Amino acid sequence: MIIFCVSKSVSSLLIRKLSWESVGLQSDIRRLLAKRCCPSVVQMTHVFVYGTLKKGQPNHDRMLDVSNGKSEFLCSASTVEKYPLIIAGKYNVPFLLNIPGTGQHVHGEIYSVDEKMLKFLDWFESCPHMYQRTRVLLKVEQQCGEGGEERPELGSTTDAFVYSTTTYEPDWLENTAFSSYDSYGDHGLLYVTREARDSR
């Protein structure tokens, strides 16, 4: 089937009207149409953050720093499948272990980021050595206010990139699995920032 694109509005209408077999395919087609039909439009990617990059957490300022790129908060969401979200290592780093079906439904935030921010996040997360960037299915739990990009509907299922890991220590599987990460929580495992590590 050949689709002729004539405008951004027409491509958006096609995406809404056509029924795709998977959420991931729909996202891929949306990005392809935006790139081919509207080359002047900045390509944005959805990223799900669950740890120190969330609002109110130690590294959230990295998402706000325009020198790293552009990011826009879209909504709160949780993973459709269960995963172990644990805190590990001498710096109390949160890790989402890529073991679907175990652990808990993990709560976090979906951001729309540009290519520059995505490259920064790859560097910041030591991808692919410490974390690997993969897709995850998410259920939208709460939307924010008005913004520049159309938000996923409340209660709908969408997909985004997430930084999870398969390169973990075997004993990490014994750590407590959390549904939501908070560096300042009752667990007492305060995250050690990179700046604090350098000063030790």
Side-chain angles (χ1 to χ4, degrees):
M1 179 177 64
I2 299 175
I3 299 176
F4 293 96
C5 292
V6 295
S7 68
K8 181 180 179 182
S9 60
V10 171
S11 64
S12 297
L13 179 60
L14 287 171
I15 288 296
R16 287 195 297 269
K17 292 296 184 182
L18 293 176
S19 175
W20 306 103
E21 293 183 357
S22 69
V23 175
L25 177 60
Q26 181 175 346
S27 299
D28 290 339
I29 295 297
R30 186 187 296 276
R31 283 186 285 271
L32 178 61
L33 287 176
K35 185 176 182 180
R36 294 298 296 272
C37 304
C38 310
S40 62
V41 175
V42 176
Q43 184 175 353
M44 304 295 284
T45 302
H46 291 179
V47 176
F48 176 69
V49 301
Y50 56 84
T52 64
L53 292 170
K54 292 192 307 180
K55 293 180 180 180
Q57 298 304 310
N59 286 320
H60 181 63
D61 62 314
R62 315 275 184 168
M63 303 294 293
L64 305 177
D65 189 343
V66 294
S67 67
N68 295 333
K70 179 182 178 181
S71 72
E72 180 184 358
F73 172 73
L74 296 181
C75 57
S76 298
S78 62
T79 59
V80 172
E81 291 194 86
K82 293 181 178 180
Y83 291 89
L85 169 57
I86 56 101
I87 301 173
K90 62 180 179 179
Y91 300 127
N92 298 326
V93 177
F95 290 93
L96 186 70
L97 307 186
N98 194 353
I99 312 175
T102 64
Q104 302 196 46
H105 298 287
V106 177
H107 300 268
E109 301 165 352
I110 301 178
Y111 287 82
S112 179
V113 304
D114 65 3
E115 185 176 357
K116 184 178 181 181
M117 177 62 78
L118 188 63
K119 289 181 177 179
F120 167 79
L121 292 174
D122 281 349
W123 169 82
F124 184 75
E125 302 287 11
S126 300
C127 180
H129 305 293
M130 180 178 290
Y131 296 90
Q132 298 80 47
R133 174 158 54 88
T134 58
R135 290 193 183 277
V136 65
L137 284 176
L138 304 162
K139 182 176 181 180
V140 178
E141 295 181 325
Q142 182 181 1
Q143 295 174 305
C144 71
E146 297 180 358
E149 182 173 333
E150 182 179 351
R151 269 94 174 122
E153 294 183 3
L154 182 65
S156 66
T157 300
T158 187
D159 76 320
F161 281 121
V162 66
Y163 292 92
S164 59
T165 185
T166 57
T167 54
Y168 53 84
E169 299 295 330
D171 61 348
W172 289 7
L173 295 172
E174 301 175 7
N175 292 17
T176 301
F178 298 91
S179 62
S180 181
Y181 173 78
D182 183 1
S183 176
Y184 314 104
D186 295 338
H187 49 68
L189 301 172
L190 183 67
Y191 172 78
V192 180
T193 64
R194 297 190 178 192
E195 293 76 14
R197 299 173 202 176
D198 295 338
S199 64
R200 287 187 172 184

